[in-house]
Amino acid sequence: MEDKNSNKQTRQQTTIADIAKLAGVSVSTVSRVLNNSTEVSKTTKKKILKLIKEYDYTPSELARGLVTKTSKTIGLLIPNLLNPYYVELIESIEKFVSSQGFSLFLCITDAKEEKEKYYINEMLRRRTNGLVMLSTNIKDHDLIKKVKKSMEIVSVEADIEDVDKISVTNEKGTYDVINHLIEYGHKDIAFIGYRFSLSGLQQRFTGYQRAMEEHSIPIRPEYVIEGEGTGNSGYTMTQRLLELPNPPTAIHCMNEHLAVGTYLAINEYGLRIPQDISVTAFDNLASSNILKPRLTTAAMPIREMGEAAADLLIRNILEGSKQVKQEIIFSTKLILRESTRRLDCP
Amino acid sequence: MEDKNSNKQTRQQTTIADIAKLAGVSVSTVSRVLNNSTEVSKTTKKKILKLIKEYDYTPSELARGLVTKTSKTIGLLIPNLLNPYYVELIESIEKFVSSQGFSLFLCITDAKEEKEKYYINEMLRRRTNGLVMLSTNIKDHDLIKKVKKSMEIVSVEADIEDVDKISVTNEKGTYDVINHLIEYGHKDIAFIGYRFSLSGLQQRFTGYQRAMEEHSIPIRPEYVIEGEGTGNSGYTMTQRLLELPNPPTAIHCMNEHLAVGTYLAINEYGLRIPQDISVTAFDNLASSNILKPRLTTAAMPIREMGEAAADLLIRNILEGSKQVKQEIIFSTKLILRESTRRLDCP
DNA sequence: TTGTAGGCGTTATCAT
DNA sequence: ATGATAACGCCTACAA
């Protein structure tokens, strides 16, 4: 009765050789029914299948990967999970990827370079077949080149040299929303956001700038705030705006995660949307349905984008990637709802 | 210049044998410096290290796992990602797991049995070393037994035969909050939630029942609503409560994800928290900071729980699991903030 | 300190 | 239709 409190050694799995011996055939035959490559006689096939079930035999993807040189595995590099945008993206990626028999390594980087490197190295070791990077900017191009030698890469939103990219018309989307506000008579339009350094997000700010410029509306520096990508930060930034001597008549949120905070702050100040202040954003998340009045926003097709990213990646894995950088840009659509109001005619 | 638009065949990696040949030593020597097991002479070690760097050699975890019988991989089985509670849990698990050199397979099941089976089988094939199940109830005990034969398992919140479990005092936590409401003079206390069938969540309802019973307050069936685990559902359920001929004076939300919807619905009805209606919940999420007035809640130590789950799992993987079912129960703590009000003295 | 040889669980290429 | 046998990339005694 030694070792009664440890079952580590019981981890002995049945192998293809066991099944072969049991069936009185060679491993190759078993392998054949496993991958139904060549034809195997009905009777032996049936016998083998029965044994496989009986002994709960599960082929080792490790061993198989060693010879086929594929792990059917994809790494998902992502700064964090707290933005619902990420969640929608991940869920759509997961759905597609699993439908193709691939598995996902979850790599949360906290946007820390150190953690990014750790995980990339980990993927290299595990012979991951593909890498999808969400909102992560890798500046180290040598690293990218090294990674590209051993797996396919696709980036969502971040622009990286030689890396296929899925993105959305960030600039135009924001431009359209701001334009809408301006048409409604707004001039005091604030812009709150974060990580202006990330190419996709930067473009959103550019859209704001362009719309303002084209209408010769000077941008007041106190109306542009860069915080963090959390609802809390949206809340704080909005507070700062509302405390201003002359607060804006409209606030545009770089994304809807911030907008939740904006709504709550405005509520707390006893102001009404859109009567007292207009609010717009970017994303069109399912979870934003909760906001009342319903948010006017630049809608991006998040789930389609996630699926496109996964699709492109897997196709590249299976068929080999093109030498030229692929880029798929989705269009935003301005969705007018009830969170904005004309200034001139109340 | 053939094959210019495919680089599939360039996937040839350098192996330990390459390095050995280059260094003029045997593979075992290279292996030794890789795992620095036995001592290797300074000079050859240095030479090998140099070559490894020069050729970007990365050992294959697949091949290594084949012989060491460990993939250093853990599966994360989870219904979805839209509850911020999951997000906090996952982030803490990821942190611990990665600090131990393990990687995480993300398995989103949508609470569908079919998807659960798919992923469990996938883990079996990949020789995953451990499985952490978040809020998922597997009834098929034969399946569990089969899985336990090849990996360690830990469950968070769900009670499964023979599976180690991390949980929290769900019943007491809810009981305490409801008690607090009753002490404040409330009798018309509503309870909104979802998935009452999941053991942990069921316990929360039991806590509500017990508190009411002990104070001889009959539970009005229209005050108990089972919906879904989304903010939207919280919003809808709250609406239903507010439309009642005699709406409750307090609403307890099974978790804080629902509470966001509750807050918004109440706001929309022009009611004030806590003046017109009291609101309580369960969780104490960081993201709930956003709710104003700040939410009175039964706090659970989510991140500690995630870490405990990962810790227990990895310890079991490394040292072998105990034969007896382990169970770690964390305590809730009632946190009084500003979302409740005494009925008697306004 | 270092090398040799066998094995990990599969697939793949030949034969038969 | 089936069987040997050689990889795949690495680790680990056992020898030297």
Side-chain angles (χ1 to χ4, degrees):
Chain A
M1 249 328 206
E2 74 284 12
D3 234 336
K4 76 185 314 182
N5 58 351
S6 164
N7 58 8
K8 244 199 123 184
Q9 67 293 339
T10 65
R11 285 289 124 95
Q12 188 62 352
Q13 309 255 12
T14 76
T15 74
I16 195 174
D18 298 333
I19 300 294
K21 183 173 298 177
L22 255 15
V25 298
S26 75
V27 289
S28 349
T29 303
V30 179
S31 176
R32 281 182 189 107
V33 346
L34 248 29
N35 310 292
N36 51 327
S37 43
T38 330
E39 270 321 298
V40 178
S41 84
K42 292 269 183 206
T43 52
T44 53
K45 183 169 183 174
K46 183 167 289 181
K47 189 199 301 177
I48 290 173
L49 251 19
K50 181 162 167 290
L51 286 167
I52 286 178
K53 184 148 291 178
E54 186 178 342
Y55 285 81
D56 271 339
Y57 165 67
T58 314
S60 162
E61 218 43 71
L62 297 186
R64 167 176 286 176
L66 194 58
V67 25
T68 63
K69 287 180 169 333
T70 169
S71 59
K72 299 219 91 180
T73 250
I74 288 173
L76 187 66
L77 207 64
I78 186 169
N80 58 62
L81 299 179
L82 22 87
N83 188 337
Y85 158 76
Y86 289 140
V87 168
E88 286 199 28
L89 210 45
I90 294 179
E91 290 192 344
S92 60
I93 292 174
E94 182 276 335
K95 200 159 289 180
F96 190 88
V97 155
S98 68
S99 80
Q100 305 292 106
F102 282 77
S103 285
L104 234 37
F105 271 127
L106 179 64
C107 309
I108 302 179
T109 66
D110 214 14
K112 297 254 174 47
E113 194 178 331
E114 182 196 18
K115 202 81 186 287
E116 288 168 359
K117 294 211 162 146
Y118 165 78
Y119 267 124
I120 285 181
N121 196 256
E122 206 60 28
M123 293 184 220
L124 255 14
R125 299 175 69 90
R126 293 171 190 283
R127 299 299 190 259
T128 292
N129 295 138
L131 164 57
V132 19
M133 304 197 296
L134 305 188
S135 303
T136 89
N137 231 334
I138 307 262
K139 315 125 213 178
D140 184 349
H141 192 248
D142 284 340
L143 182 57
I144 293 291
K145 279 212 298 223
K146 174 177 167 186
V147 173
K148 279 204 71 169
K149 267 191 233 157
S150 72
M151 66 185 93
E152 301 293 335
I153 313 182
V154 58
S155 159
V156 178
E157 283 297 280
D159 191 72
I160 302 173
E161 199 181 330
D162 289 337
V163 172
D164 290 356
K165 177 182 168 191
I166 307 293
S167 66
V168 65
T169 54
N170 284 298
E171 212 221 274
K172 174 162 190 316
T174 310
Y175 175 84
D176 288 345
V177 189
I178 303 298
N179 243 356
H180 158 70
L181 287 171
I182 294 173
E183 276 171 15
Y184 266 28
H186 292 271
K187 287 183 189 311
D188 297 334
I189 303 171
F191 182 97
I192 64 176
Y194 67 103
R195 280 190 82 187
F196 283 38
S197 60
L198 192 66
S199 48
L201 298 184
Q202 187 182 41
Q203 289 163 11
R204 298 190 186 181
F205 180 58
T206 308
Y208 165 77
Q209 287 179 306
R210 184 159 67 84
M212 297 293 270
E213 267 171 29
E214 286 188 7
H215 293 84
S216 313
I217 306 174
I219 293 175
R220 307 169 62 150
E222 67 269 31
Y223 282 177
V224 177
I225 309 186
E226 177 169 359
E228 288 168 7
T230 65
N232 250 322
S233 177
Y235 178 83
T236 315
M237 291 190 279
T238 304
Q239 270 188 324
R240 269 176 61 189
L241 290 172
L242 297 180
E243 292 287 355
L244 249 30
N246 38 9
T249 62
I251 300 179
H252 175 74
C253 307
M254 182 184 260
N255 68 31
E256 294 182 5
H257 194 37
L258 299 175
V260 181
T262 297
Y263 265 60
L264 285 162
I266 289 175
N267 272 342
E268 207 190 342
Y269 271 71
L271 302 175
R272 307 293 289 172
I273 306 171
Q275 293 87 338
D276 303 315
I277 188 164
S278 293
V279 177
T280 56
F282 197 114
D283 274 353
N284 198 38
L285 304 176
S287 59
S288 295
N289 269 330
I290 211 177
L291 297 177
K292 311 289 158 159
R294 287 159 58 238
L295 190 57
T296 284
T297 200
M300 60 190 281
I302 302 184
R303 307 198 97 93
E304 282 89 334
M305 289 174 66
E307 186 173 324
D311 188 19
L312 177 60
L313 188 67
I314 290 184
R315 207 194 317 274
N316 284 349
I317 291 172
L318 265 25
E319 305 168 5
S321 62
K322 313 288 177 237
Q323 292 299 75
V324 295
K325 170 168 173 168
Q326 308 265 103
E327 197 164 339
I328 304 179
I329 305 177
F330 284 81
S331 298
T332 52
K333 203 171 77 185
L334 180 61
I335 298 189
L336 263 33
R337 289 199 275 244
E338 295 93 36
S339 65
T340 60
R341 144 175 183 271
R342 296 201 96 91
L343 269 197
D344 25 21
C345 48
Chain B
M1 249 326 203
E2 75 286 11
D3 234 334
K4 83 198 289 194
N5 58 351
S6 163
N7 59 7
K8 245 202 122 185
Q9 67 296 340
T10 67
R11 285 289 125 92
Q12 188 61 352
Q13 310 253 12
T14 76
T15 74
I16 195 174
D18 298 331
I19 300 294
K21 184 172 295 175
L22 255 14
V25 297
S26 74
V27 290
S28 16
T29 303
V30 180
S31 174
R32 282 180 189 107
V33 346
L34 248 29
N35 310 292
N36 51 327
S37 44
T38 329
E39 272 322 297
V40 178
S41 84
K42 290 272 183 205
T43 51
T44 53
K45 182 169 184 173
K46 182 167 291 180
K47 189 198 303 175
I48 289 173
L49 252 18
K50 182 163 166 290
L51 286 167
I52 286 178
K53 183 148 293 177
E54 190 179 337
Y55 285 82
D56 272 340
Y57 166 66
T58 314
S60 162
E61 216 46 69
L62 297 187
R64 167 176 286 178
L66 194 57
V67 23
T68 62
K69 283 174 170 336
T70 169
S71 59
K72 299 217 91 181
T73 250
I74 288 173
L76 187 65
L77 207 64
I78 187 170
N80 58 62
L81 299 179
L82 21 87
N83 188 338
Y85 157 77
Y86 289 141
V87 168
E88 286 199 28
L89 209 46
I90 294 179
E91 289 192 345
S92 61
I93 291 173
E94 182 277 336
K95 200 159 288 178
F96 190 88
V97 155
S98 69
S99 79
Q100 305 292 107
F102 283 76
S103 286
L104 233 37
F105 271 128
L106 179 63
C107 310
I108 302 179
T109 65
D110 214 14
K112 297 255 175 45
E113 196 178 331
E114 181 196 18
K115 202 82 187 285
E116 289 168 358
K117 292 209 163 150
Y118 164 79
Y119 267 126
I120 286 182
N121 195 256
E122 207 59 28
M123 292 184 219
L124 254 14
R125 299 176 70 91
R126 294 171 189 283
R127 300 298 191 258
T128 293
N129 295 138
L131 163 57
V132 20
M133 304 196 297
L134 305 188
S135 303
T136 89
N137 232 334
I138 308 262
K139 315 126 214 178
D140 184 348
H141 193 249
D142 284 340
L143 181 58
I144 293 290
K145 279 211 300 220
K146 173 177 168 187
V147 173
K148 279 203 72 169
K149 268 192 233 159
S150 72
M151 67 185 92
E152 300 294 335
I153 313 181
V154 58
S155 158
V156 178
E157 283 296 282
D159 192 70
I160 301 172
E161 198 180 332
D162 289 336
V163 172
D164 290 356
K165 176 181 169 191
I166 307 292
S167 65
V168 65
T169 54
N170 284 297
E171 211 221 274
K172 176 163 189 317
T174 309
Y175 175 85
D176 288 346
V177 190
I178 303 297
N179 243 355
H180 158 70
L181 287 171
I182 294 173
E183 277 170 15
Y184 266 28
H186 292 272
K187 287 182 189 314
D188 297 332
I189 304 172
F191 183 97
I192 64 176
Y194 67 103
R195 279 188 85 186
F196 283 39
S197 61
L198 192 67
S199 48
L201 298 184
Q202 185 182 42
Q203 288 163 12
R204 297 190 187 180
F205 180 58
T206 308
Y208 164 77
Q209 287 178 306
R210 184 159 67 87
M212 297 292 269
E213 267 171 27
E214 286 187 7
H215 293 83
S216 313
I217 306 175
I219 294 176
R220 305 168 63 151
E222 67 270 31
Y223 281 177
V224 176
I225 309 187
E226 176 168 1
E228 288 168 9
T230 66
N232 251 324
S233 176
Y235 178 82
T236 314
M237 290 190 279
T238 304
Q239 270 187 324
R240 268 176 61 189
L241 290 172
L242 297 180
E243 292 288 356
L244 248 31
N246 39 8
T249 62
I251 300 179
H252 175 74
C253 307
M254 183 185 260
N255 69 30
E256 294 183 4
H257 193 37
L258 299 175
V260 181
T262 296
Y263 265 60
L264 286 163
I266 290 174
N267 274 340
E268 209 192 338
Y269 270 72
L271 301 174
R272 307 293 291 171
I273 306 170
Q275 295 86 338
D276 303 315
I277 189 165
S278 293
V279 177
T280 56
F282 197 114
D283 274 353
N284 198 38
L285 303 176
S287 58
S288 295
N289 270 330
I290 212 179
L291 297 178
K292 311 290 158 156
R294 287 160 56 240
L295 190 58
T296 284
T297 199
M300 61 189 281
I302 302 184
R303 306 199 97 93
E304 282 89 333
M305 288 173 66
E307 185 172 325
D311 188 19
L312 177 59
L313 188 67
I314 291 184
R315 207 196 315 276
N316 283 349
I317 291 172
L318 265 26
E319 305 168 4
S321 62
K322 313 287 178 240
Q323 291 300 75
V324 295
K325 169 169 175 168
Q326 308 264 104
E327 197 164 341
I328 305 180
I329 305 177
F330 284 81
S331 297
T332 52
K333 202 170 79 186
L334 180 60
I335 298 190
L336 263 33
R337 290 199 276 243
E338 296 94 35
S339 64
T340 59
R341 140 172 187 273
R342 296 203 96 90
L343 270 198
D344 25 20
C345 49

